[in-house]
Amino acid sequence: MSRAIKMEDLSVVIKGKDVLKNINLSLDKGIFLGIVGPNGGGKTTLVRTVLGLLRPTTGTVSVFGRSPESLLTEDGAFGYLPQQQNIDPNFPATALDIALMGRYRSAGALRWPGKKDREKAVQALSIMGVEELKDSQYSQLSGGQQQRISIARALAGDPKILILDEPSTGIDVVGQEDFYHLLKGLQKKMNLTILMVSHDIGTVTTYVDEIACLNINLYYHGNPLGALNEKVLTSLYGKNVDVLMHTDVCDKCERLRK
Ligand SMILES: Nc1ncnc2c1ncn2[C@@H]1O[C@H](COP(=O)(O)OP(=O)(O)OP(=O)(O)O)[C@@H](O)[C@H]1O
Ligand SMILES: [Mg+2]
């Protein structure tokens, strides 16, 4: 069985600076992986190598046993929510138009959306709880509503791998818990492999199957609870770990020790 993702000795150097160093990471199909680490730790860079948007300087990455570049143009391989979205806020488009963008994949495939595309886009909006906004102008919606619609766009193409870079930004706390539940449900129902970058280490560990702790090097990959110890957290956050240890992460560590 080919793995969903396999990285071997992957390094990325940008402008002479090590951004990722000797990453070895294997992920089975159908796993929900959380990626955590400090700002500038290389999380976005890592997911961009998986997507085939950035080539590793040395080492390799394969997705379902193939090169990411070869999958990038394939229908339904990846659903991607970038950290920074390049939707012009003044672009005149409805929520449905945005979700429909998730149905166009291969470069140059200019075609009118068909009935099935519309159905899938509406379905994705409905999964995200924003179906009733489908005819609203995207530019006039709130940040959180826009975020849900962008996630719907990532889902609309029936991806095999869903990659979400800080997806809960702008979503309220109650909505966040619902959202993680929802992802968990989708993972099972659609046999999705999910990569989710998040800063919310406390909450993420509750939902994901595995966690990767990244700060240029990969300090930990495995069971989420195993990441909640001072040694791993210090390698990520240095002395600032004290701040983290006084939050709910700390409660989890306590429970773990018992
Ligand atoms: N195109 C680029 N040009 C120059 N430096 C870059 C570029 N892309 C990434 N970097 C550098 O690589 C490092 C890692 O960036 P990356 O965006 O992967 O971090 P991150 O873990 O996603 O951070 P954050 O939590 O803030 O999103 C940073 O120091 C960044 O400045
Ligand atoms: Mg990032």
Side-chain angles (χ1 to χ4, degrees):
M1 189 194 82
S2 70
R3 296 196 187 272
I5 294 168
K6 191 166 177 62
M7 294 179 174
E8 288 179 299
D9 290 327
L10 178 145
S11 295
V12 173
V13 180
I14 298 176
K15 293 180 183 154
K17 196 177 113 190
D18 288 327
V19 174
L20 292 171
K21 221 164 152 182
N22 298 326
I23 309 289
N24 287 288
L25 185 149
S26 278
L27 194 72
D28 282 338
K29 286 181 191 167
I31 296 287
F32 187 173
L33 176 76
I35 304 172
V36 298
N39 293 133
K43 303 179 295 297
T44 297
T45 305
L46 187 93
V47 300
R48 285 173 57 81
T49 68
V50 173
L51 286 157
L53 299 173
L54 181 83
R55 269 175 206 268
T57 312
T58 56
T60 57
V61 52
S62 63
V63 180
F64 299 124
R66 295 173 48 184
S67 81
E69 291 87 353
S70 73
L71 282 166
L72 193 58
T73 52
E74 205 161 277
D75 266 0
F78 299 111
Y80 178 38
L81 175 82
Q83 184 174 11
Q84 247 123 36
Q85 298 190 54
N86 42 15
I87 300 172
D88 178 348
N90 297 314
F91 183 64
T94 64
L96 181 61
D97 293 333
I98 301 287
L100 267 171
M101 288 175 185
R103 300 291 304 170
Y104 308 119
R105 194 80 41 181
S106 27
L110 276 174
R111 60 180 177 91
W112 292 105
K115 189 162 167 265
K116 188 176 170 221
D117 297 313
R118 276 178 192 282
E119 279 169 10
K120 288 282 180 188
V122 172
Q123 194 184 19
L125 288 169
S126 150
I127 288 172
M128 290 313 301
V130 285
E131 189 186 343
E132 76 280 8
L133 300 176
K134 69 178 165 33
D135 299 319
S136 308
Q137 281 297 313
Y138 180 81
S139 59
Q140 287 167 14
L141 297 173
S142 78
Q145 289 170 328
Q146 289 180 342
Q147 186 71 342
R148 284 167 184 265
I149 288 155
S150 303
I151 297 164
R153 178 179 58 169
L155 284 172
D158 280 336
K160 293 189 187 69
I161 298 192
L162 183 62
I163 299 185
L164 304 165
D165 200 341
E166 303 198 24
S168 61
T169 312
I171 295 184
D172 59 67
V173 179
V174 177
Q176 275 180 27
E177 296 270 327
D178 286 350
F179 172 59
Y180 292 140
H181 270 298
L182 186 110
L183 283 181
K184 196 98 199 112
L186 287 176
Q187 175 203 8
K188 298 275 175 273
K189 209 164 89 189
M190 299 163 74
N191 196 24
L192 262 178
T193 305
I194 306 179
L195 270 61
M196 183 173 79
V197 175
S198 176
H199 283 286
D200 187 3
I201 185 165
T203 313
V204 157
T205 43
T206 315
Y207 292 95
V208 298
D209 303 311
E210 296 178 11
I211 200 154
C213 299
L214 199 64
N215 186 9
I216 305 174
N217 299 286
L218 180 66
Y219 282 98
Y220 178 87
H221 172 214
N223 183 304
L225 292 178
L228 296 178
N229 72 61
E230 210 160 338
K231 189 162 164 264
V232 174
L233 294 176
T234 304
S235 60
L236 296 182
Y237 301 105
K239 289 198 183 96
N240 298 327
V241 77
D242 287 348
V243 179
L244 198 68
M245 296 302 274
H246 285 99
T247 62
D248 65 327
V249 176
C250 185
D251 296 341
K252 272 201 185 129
C253 295
E254 286 297 314
R255 265 181 271 139
L256 207 65
R257 283 191 200 105
K258 281 175 191 156

